[in-house]
Amino acid sequence: MASASHAPTPLLKDELDIVIPTIRNLDFLEMWRPFFQPYHLIIVQDGDPSKTIRVPEGFDYELYNRNDINRMLGPKASCISFKDSACRCFGYMVSKKKYIYTIDDDCFVAKDPSGKDINALEQHIKNLLSPSTPFFFNTLYDPYRVGADFVRGYPFSLREGVPTAVSHGLWLNIPDYDAPTQLVKPLERNTRYVDAILTIPKGTLFPMCGMNLAFDRELIGPAMYFGLMGDGQPIGRYDDMWAGWCTKVITDHLGLGVKTGLPYIWHSKASNPFVNLKKEYNGIFWQEELIPFFQSVSLPKEATTVQKCYLELAKQVRAKLGKVDGYFNKLADSMVTWIEAWDELNPPKGGVPTANGPPKK
């Protein structure tokens, strides 16, 4: 066996940032040390910027608080949520890496059925580096995994797949439930480990959870805006949902893929369902209007970049969802501001890569 000094270089060591939103000391990183220590961390401190956040020794990180966000973005800082984990998307904006993995500070290392620790980050990277199959469903799930393939009847013309933009992981222990479900199932825990990864089909929306999520920042980064949530806003706990709906519509339009399933993390702490209900109350009603909106969104063929798609989406949000509540006019403004701020920090370059070959301009 190779000695520790000859351990293989971690996948994408210099091409991936780990983004963590937090209001507390990051002691949870100790458990993740074997998997996270080789990578660069971007910590987005929410809440009181005068509070000192302790990060365990040995980690390479940069930390941003609200004062930093205001200083770097100026008036455009208004698009970054305050007192809500939606602030994490600032980390996506300031990263200079190709890939992002984001995780919450109450998520720990899970074990697979054999009792082995799961390297969630490694599995996300494998998901992102293999193609997706959004145009035709494979009944053996991900055909690119060892031991699987395309089943009989799968069109050969579609077996090359498309680039994977998003890898959406799951959680053991505390499920990601909304407040009403939490209230009626207070003791429910997820103990089912399903060894599967699947591509979410084109035209199908999904509820994206931001606590165990990876994505290709160059392919889809500008769409990963977690909206206006938290302090001063009439809604919370829909930040990742909003980003997921926007992202899925845009990946479908641009011919990119979204995977869900492995890897699992251990979600350790159930949030208060009564506090959650206050945050979610409007969203629970509004989503009955939001889902049909996203299902019917059509982006013009001229929208060939994520930024163009997102600005068109903002226009449609204002025109159609502004009638649901005035909040959506404000959100549409912030979507535009987000893209302006993104482009200031990340001057646009190139186009959307195909699965094999040069970028489409």
Side-chain angles (χ1 to χ4, degrees):
M1 290 182 64
S3 66
S5 62
H6 294 91
T9 302
L11 290 170
L12 303 180
K13 175 180 175 293
D14 299 316
E15 298 178 68
L16 181 143
D17 280 334
I18 300 173
V19 175
I20 305 168
T22 193
I23 57 171
R24 58 181 64 87
N25 292 333
L26 294 180
D27 300 327
F28 92 113
L29 285 173
E30 287 295 353
M31 178 177 271
W32 287 103
R33 187 181 290 278
F35 306 130
F36 287 2
Q37 190 162 354
Y39 295 88
H40 181 67
L41 312 182
I42 297 178
I43 299 161
V44 184
Q45 178 180 344
D46 198 14
D48 183 0
S50 67
K51 181 180 176 182
T52 299
I53 298 290
R54 193 186 74 80
V55 181
E57 288 186 13
F59 286 93
D60 172 38
Y61 71 94
E62 53 193 297
L63 186 150
Y64 298 93
N65 61 32
R66 193 70 206 187
N67 293 340
D68 299 315
I69 295 171
N70 292 338
R71 175 177 51 80
M72 293 177 69
L73 298 185
K76 293 184 175 67
S78 61
C79 72
I80 304 297
S81 299
F82 185 55
K83 295 186 178 177
D84 192 280
S85 65
C87 67
R88 78 177 77 219
C89 61
F90 178 76
Y92 310 159
M93 182 187 284
V94 298
S95 171
K96 300 302 176 191
K97 304 290 178 61
K98 178 172 169 56
Y99 300 97
I100 295 287
Y101 175 53
T102 186
I103 185 172
D104 285 3
D105 60 15
D106 62 351
C107 294
F108 301 146
V109 178
K111 292 185 182 296
D112 68 17
S114 72
K116 181 183 176 185
D117 284 351
I118 297 169
N119 185 346
L121 180 53
E122 181 180 60
Q123 182 62 57
H124 274 298
I125 291 170
K126 290 178 179 177
N127 292 351
L128 289 170
L129 294 181
S130 65
S132 292
T133 54
F135 306 122
F136 202 89
F137 188 79
N138 192 53
T139 50
L140 267 185
Y141 308 121
D142 190 338
Y144 305 104
R145 291 186 74 194
V146 174
D149 210 321
F150 293 96
V151 297
R152 181 169 55 90
Y154 201 99
F156 281 85
S157 60
L158 295 177
R159 294 189 182 193
E160 185 179 280
V162 302
T164 300
V166 180
S167 171
H168 177 257
L170 298 174
W171 349 267
L172 293 172
N173 195 35
I174 306 291
D176 187 30
Y177 285 162
D178 53 37
T181 309
Q182 280 185 293
L183 285 165
V184 297
K185 293 182 170 181
L187 301 180
E188 185 152 295
R189 299 293 181 265
N190 182 31
T191 59
R192 296 177 64 239
Y193 179 96
V194 180
D195 186 10
I197 303 160
L198 43 150
T199 297
I200 301 174
K202 182 178 181 179
T204 301
L205 296 173
F206 75 112
M208 187 176 83
C209 171
M211 73 171 104
N212 176 27
L213 177 72
F215 60 92
D216 185 321
R217 186 176 170 277
E218 291 183 1
L219 283 184
I220 200 64
M224 279 288 179
Y225 175 46
F226 276 44
L228 274 184
M229 304 281 154
D231 195 49
Q233 308 303 333
I235 185 174
R237 284 174 56 82
Y238 274 84
D239 52 333
D240 42 8
M241 300 295 126
W242 181 262
W245 298 328
C246 293
T247 293
K248 188 58 167 64
V249 165
I250 292 172
T251 54
D252 284 353
H253 175 75
L254 295 177
L256 303 170
V258 176
K259 292 183 178 181
T260 188
L262 299 182
Y264 285 92
I265 50 84
W266 180 270
H267 186 207
S268 66
K269 189 179 68 182
S271 48
N272 186 310
F274 297 101
V275 173
N276 289 347
L277 188 58
K278 285 183 179 179
K279 294 178 180 179
E280 295 173 3
Y281 178 79
N282 284 321
I284 289 169
F285 287 101
W286 290 345
Q287 70 183 11
E288 301 305 320
E289 306 267 359
L290 299 180
I291 301 304
F293 164 76
F294 281 105
Q295 287 172 329
S296 64
V297 160
S298 177
L299 297 173
K301 63 183 181 188
E302 297 77 30
T304 54
T305 67
V306 176
Q307 283 93 331
K308 287 178 181 176
C309 290
Y310 204 73
L311 292 173
E312 173 62 29
L313 201 50
K315 194 187 305 178
Q316 295 189 33
V317 166
R318 188 190 320 279
K320 297 178 181 177
L321 295 181
K323 302 168 188 173
V324 175
D325 192 272
Y327 162 76
F328 291 101
N329 292 322
K330 188 177 178 183
L331 178 55
D333 289 339
S334 287
M335 291 169 72
V336 173
T337 302
W338 161 263
I339 293 297
E340 291 172 351
W342 182 283
D343 283 347
E344 281 183 14
L345 293 180
N346 305 276
K349 59 179 180 179
V352 178
T354 55
N356 289 292
K360 293 177 182 174
K361 299 293 184 182

